[in-house]
């Protein structure tokens, strides 16, 4: 098939009397990967695409769509065998649940609300859903009333003084190690960012947008799967190197090298920090500083499957189990009347649970659930699934936060490199005064911004 294309092209050029374009050895090598010989030329260079997008998550898909709208040839390279990245609806337990993102945050201005509607995916206001279930707390020791009050106070202070907040850790901002204040800060950082309060910048956190949340009964991942249709996406194609030493960029994968005028890199901060992509020449110091100024939290979702038993719990009941100021689990029980309990936890505690490995981690969390609901739950347990984003090589964490003293890190990372490498992704979603970082909505916005810059590369 590919040979026929080549023959047709050659015949056309011979008949036109014009010389065929220079076909480099690189283009030949890349042919199996790209499927067509070349699409774009600039003086002295032949490109396989105008823009290569690395990563088919929220940011990468948004960038690819925007580039198509701007009439650019775009190829998306994705390491995993699926699209969606950290937005993934897992069906492995026989019923769908979101293993990564599950809320459409600040839904009134979030593009995923509009895209869901466009693709016929139902979304529901969270308040409407939660009214059907009741929530309760358990714990040894129980949450101290002072800690809960401290959390509320902290939230108010963060909301009230956004712009004036010093670039210090959330723990320090809350009032240091004083027991109640520390408890409020630790809980907030762990639940919202998946990390410990001493490691997150209060200023970075305070900038984040708030708003109404919507839920997606069929799974957030469903939206991305539909949104990805029609794009030129190469799955199972991890990028190893980005060479920006000459004209344009040369991107190498195990399947070969392809080149383009520019590249949008929407790979998570954790994966970039792990060095899985080598930049040649190395990244400028400003981007390196940006990467060093960001951390990845360990927010984690697990699901436990039961045989239909409900243990007296109505759908959408939320059971919060507090083991200590730094250890807690949140059990979302039988959402949408499915036989699943989804479990949310974060921080160093989550890192420890993930390190146990799939089966022991599920058994451990089942023990915790049995501790609250009684040993009877064990007889009805069918199986569990841990999604440990923290040790997944394509994310190396859940989502980003700026480290104390490094609230400018997102801007630094987003700085264009040589007018041809443009970073996108949730980590850069909060740049330019936006509070969209860490979210799927922010990832979308960052993809649009990066695509518009990349489209200007000649
Ligand atoms: C447990 C959890 C809960 C969350 N809850 C919410 C929520 O409720 N609401 C919300 O808005 N956000 C939530 N988030 C955050 C949200 O998932 C992310 O902000 C968003 O999905 C990030 O999109 P992205 O495109 O920036 O990155 P990703 O989705 O990670 O996409 C990057 C892509 O790059 C690919 N990749 C990595 N390395 C390479 C390589 N070398 N070559 C090629 N491809 C590569 C990855 O496989 C991935 O597909 C949650 C995240 C987690 C983990």
């Amino acid at each position: 098939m590919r040979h026929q294309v080549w023959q047709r092209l050659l015949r056309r050029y011979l008949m036109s009397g014009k010389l065929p374009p220079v076909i480099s050895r690189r283009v030949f090598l890349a042919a199996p990967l790209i499927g067509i010989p070349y699409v774009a030329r600039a003086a002295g260079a032949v490109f396989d695409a105008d823009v290569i997008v690395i990563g088919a998550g929220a940011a990468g898909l948004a960038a690819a769509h925007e580039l198509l709208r701007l009439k650019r040839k775009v190829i998306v390279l994705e390491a995993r065998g699926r699209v969606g990245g950290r937005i993934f609806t897992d069906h492995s337990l026989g019923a769908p649940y979101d293993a990564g993102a599950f809320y459409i945050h600040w839904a009134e201005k979030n593009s995923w609300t509009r895209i869901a509607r466009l693709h016929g995916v139902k979304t529901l206001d969270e308040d409407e859903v939660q009214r059907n279930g009741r929530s309760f707390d358990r714990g040894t020791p129980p949450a101290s009333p002072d800690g809960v009050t401290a959390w509320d106070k902290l939230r108010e202070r963060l909301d009230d003084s956004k712009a004036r907040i010093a670039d210090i850790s959330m723990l320090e901002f809350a009032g240091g190690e004083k027991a109640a204040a520390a408890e409020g800060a630790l809980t907030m950082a762990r639940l919202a960012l998946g990390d410990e309060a001493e490691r997150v910048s209060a200023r970075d956190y305070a900038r984040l947008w708030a708003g109404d949340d919507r839920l997606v009964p069929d799974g957030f991942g469903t939206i991305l799967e539909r949104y990805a249709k029609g794009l030129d996406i190469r799955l199972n194609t991890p990028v190893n190197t980005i060479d920006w030493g000459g004209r344009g960029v040369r991107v190498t994968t195990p399947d070969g090298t392809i080149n383009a005028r520019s590249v949008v890199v929407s790979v998570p901060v954790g994966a970039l920090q792990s060095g899985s992509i080598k930049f040649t020449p190395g990244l400028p110091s400003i981007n390196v500083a940006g990467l060093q100024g960001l951390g990845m939290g360990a927010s984690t979702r697990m699901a436990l499957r039961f045989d239909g038993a409900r243990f007296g719990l109505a759908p959408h009941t939320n059971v919060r189990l507090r083991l200590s100021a730094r250890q807690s689990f949140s059990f979302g029980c039988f959402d949408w009347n499915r036989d699943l309990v989804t479990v949310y936890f974060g921080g160093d505690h989550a890192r420890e649970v993930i390190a146990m490995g799939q089966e022991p981690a599920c058994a451990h969390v089942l023990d915790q659930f049995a501790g609250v609901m009684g040993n009877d739950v064990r007889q009805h347990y069918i199986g569990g699934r841990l999604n440990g984003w923290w040790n997944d090589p394509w994310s190396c964490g859940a989502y980003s936060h700026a480290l104390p003293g490094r609230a400018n890190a997102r801007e630094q990372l987003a700085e264009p490199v040589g007018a041809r490498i443009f970073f996108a992704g949730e980590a850069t979603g909060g740049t330019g005064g936006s509070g969209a970082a860490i979210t799927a909505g922010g990832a979308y916005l960052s993809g649009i911004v990066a695509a518009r810059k990349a489209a200007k590369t000649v």
Side-chain angles (χ1 to χ4, degrees):
M1 180 60 193
R2 229 171 255 130
H3 291 299
Q4 285 166 6
V5 174
W6 278 100
Q7 279 166 358
R8 265 206 310 277
L9 273 169
L10 197 57
R11 201 177 309 126
R12 205 166 62 212
Y13 278 108
L14 290 174
M15 286 169 71
S16 72
K18 290 181 199 154
L19 284 176
V22 178
I23 298 162
S24 70
R25 181 175 148 72
R26 179 175 294 126
V27 172
F28 263 110
L29 287 176
L33 181 71
I34 63 172
I36 52 169
Y38 73 95
V39 291
R41 291 191 80 190
V46 178
F47 295 118
D48 305 315
D50 291 309
V51 185
I52 295 166
V53 172
I54 307 180
L61 295 179
H65 272 290
E66 182 65 4
L67 285 160
L68 279 188
R69 193 186 67 79
L70 295 170
K71 310 241 177 316
R72 297 297 187 276
K73 163 78 181 177
V74 54
I75 296 173
V76 184
L77 302 177
E78 167 54 51
R80 291 188 173 105
R82 60 167 180 81
V83 300
R86 284 169 278 169
I87 302 175
F88 170 50
T89 304
D90 192 330
H91 292 260
S92 63
L93 291 176
Y97 72 95
D98 280 314
F102 49 104
Y103 283 125
I104 302 181
H105 289 305
W106 29 271
E108 64 285 358
K109 59 180 171 191
N110 192 320
S111 295
W112 294 111
T113 311
R114 173 181 55 79
I115 297 168
R117 207 178 304 123
L118 200 69
H119 290 279
V121 182
K122 186 170 145 189
T123 66
L124 288 170
D125 188 272
E126 195 210 7
D127 289 343
E128 236 172 88
V129 176
Q130 300 297 1
R131 267 206 295 273
N132 301 327
R134 77 198 164 89
S135 296
F136 58 90
D137 292 281
R138 288 283 183 280
T140 29
S144 90
D146 288 351
V148 177
T149 313
W151 180 357
D152 285 343
K153 275 196 197 142
L154 179 58
R155 204 162 36 194
E156 277 168 31
R157 279 179 60 210
L158 284 165
D159 284 348
D160 288 351
S161 48
K162 274 185 195 305
R164 302 185 305 278
I165 290 177
D167 194 5
I168 54 178
S169 80
M170 197 186 282
L171 189 63
E172 204 183 330
F173 179 81
E177 298 289 346
K178 277 184 243 151
E183 186 170 333
L186 287 166
T187 310
M188 182 182 281
R190 202 176 55 249
L191 291 185
L193 300 172
D195 221 322
E196 305 299 325
E198 59 269 34
R199 285 182 217 142
V200 306
S201 158
R203 181 185 287 174
D204 183 55
Y205 178 81
R207 286 191 295 225
L208 299 179
W209 282 341
D212 291 339
D213 296 334
R214 291 187 82 80
L215 287 163
V216 192
D218 290 335
F220 204 149
T222 316
I223 307 175
L224 277 88
E225 277 165 29
R226 295 190 191 176
Y227 182 58
K229 294 260 157 63
L231 294 172
D232 183 350
I233 302 174
R234 317 291 162 87
L235 297 177
N236 300 305
T237 309
V239 168
N240 305 321
T241 59
I242 300 174
D243 179 350
W244 57 288
R247 200 182 169 86
V249 288
R250 280 150 304 286
V251 172
T252 305
T253 77
D255 294 338
T257 299
I258 55 175
N259 57 15
R261 295 173 198 274
S262 59
V263 61
V264 171
V265 181
S266 74
V267 168
V269 160
L272 288 172
Q273 289 168 337
S274 78
S276 55
I277 298 182
K278 184 170 174 245
F279 291 85
T280 316
L283 287 173
S285 54
I286 187 146
N287 307 91
V288 173
L291 274 179
Q292 289 171 345
L294 294 167
M296 287 291 270
S299 295
T300 304
R301 299 259 288 170
M302 176 189 271
L304 306 175
R305 167 96 204 241
F306 293 93
D307 62 2
R310 290 289 185 266
F311 320 116
L313 300 170
H316 297 287
T317 299
N318 194 23
V319 179
R320 292 176 293 259
L321 172 65
R322 180 180 177 282
L323 301 172
S324 73
R326 289 184 187 265
Q327 293 183 312
S328 63
F329 291 102
S330 174
F331 299 95
C333 304
F334 311 116
D335 293 355
W336 319 112
N337 204 19
R338 294 181 184 132
D339 295 337
L340 299 178
V341 171
T342 50
V343 194
Y344 192 70
F345 47 108
D348 285 346
H349 171 222
R351 293 180 176 102
E352 282 160 21
V353 175
I354 290 168
M356 292 175 183
Q358 184 67 232
E359 291 306 321
C362 290
H364 172 74
V365 175
L366 177 67
D367 284 348
Q368 307 304 314
F369 190 57
V372 179
M373 298 307 303
N375 267 330
D376 184 41
V377 301
R378 296 177 194 281
Q379 288 160 32
H380 299 277
Y381 175 66
I382 294 191
R385 178 92 195 142
L386 166 71
N387 294 278
W389 301 99
W390 172 248
N391 63 4
D392 178 325
W394 307 124
S395 56
C396 301
Y399 41 91
S400 64
H401 55 262
L403 304 178
R406 304 305 308 277
N408 61 345
R410 300 185 189 281
E411 261 81 15
Q412 291 179 319
L413 175 62
E415 203 53 43
V417 179
R420 73 204 105 138
I421 301 179
F422 303 95
F423 287 100
E426 53 83 13
T428 62
T431 51
S434 144
I438 85 172
T439 63
Y444 175 93
L445 292 175
S446 76
I448 301 291
V449 169
R452 288 180 187 166
K453 288 182 186 160
K456 289 189 182 140
T457 316
V458 285

